[in-house]
């Protein structure tokens, strides 16, 4: 499956637009990770714990979106957009959206 943020795929012709697909993931953070991340933030540097959580959320949301596109008969998803939000009580949401297409 071709997955891209662009609205076209070089060298490929879009045969059919199959609809918008989305993958949504909500992940929880724990108290220890929040505490360690706040220490990192105070002394400077990068928070590896949160970076890995962001990467996990992104990968899961994209995987869910691709699975939904495959069920529609797509062989590509174009125009992908990723959004991240923090929710209450240390929850993080990642949403991947795109257009499922059939390409030659």
């Amino acid at each position: 499956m071709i997955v891209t943020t662009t609205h076209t795929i070089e060298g490929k012709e879009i045969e059919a637009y199959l609809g918008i697909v989305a993958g949504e993931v909500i992940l929880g953070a724990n108290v220890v990770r929040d505490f360690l991340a706040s220490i990192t933030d105070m002394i400077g540097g990068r928070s590896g714990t949160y970076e890995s959580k962001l990467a996990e959320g992104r990968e899961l949301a994209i995987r869910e979106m691709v699975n939904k596109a495959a069920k529609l008969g797509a062989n590509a998803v174009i125009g992908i957009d990723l959004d991240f939000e923090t929710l209450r009580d240390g929850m993080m949401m990642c949403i991947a959206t795109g257009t499922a297409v059939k390409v030659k």
Side-chain angles (χ1 to χ4, degrees):
M1 172 93 49
I2 299 171
V3 178
T4 181
T5 58
T6 62
H7 296 283
T8 60
I9 302 169
E10 189 173 340
K12 301 284 186 182
E13 181 182 340
I14 296 173
E15 293 180 318
Y17 291 85
L18 304 175
I20 295 171
V21 287
E24 301 93 2
V25 176
I26 297 177
L27 300 169
N30 65 35
V31 175
V32 174
R33 182 176 33 243
D34 289 345
F35 176 72
L36 294 174
S38 68
I39 291 173
T40 301
D41 289 342
M42 286 190 297
I43 61 174
R46 296 171 60 170
S47 174
T49 53
Y50 278 117
E51 287 176 1
S52 65
K53 255 319 185 194
L54 285 170
E56 179 186 358
R58 180 185 67 241
E59 290 169 16
L60 290 172
I62 290 172
R63 186 180 315 143
E64 182 179 317
M65 178 190 64
V66 165
N67 288 340
K68 288 179 180 178
K71 288 179 183 175
L72 294 175
N75 60 0
V77 182
I78 61 171
I80 293 175
D81 181 54
L82 294 169
D83 290 310
F84 296 88
E85 296 290 332
T86 54
L87 306 173
R88 62 179 179 82
D89 299 328
M91 303 295 281
M92 178 190 74
M93 176 175 61
C94 178
I95 302 171
T97 57
T99 303
V101 297
K102 188 91 166 165
V103 296
K104 285 185 190 181

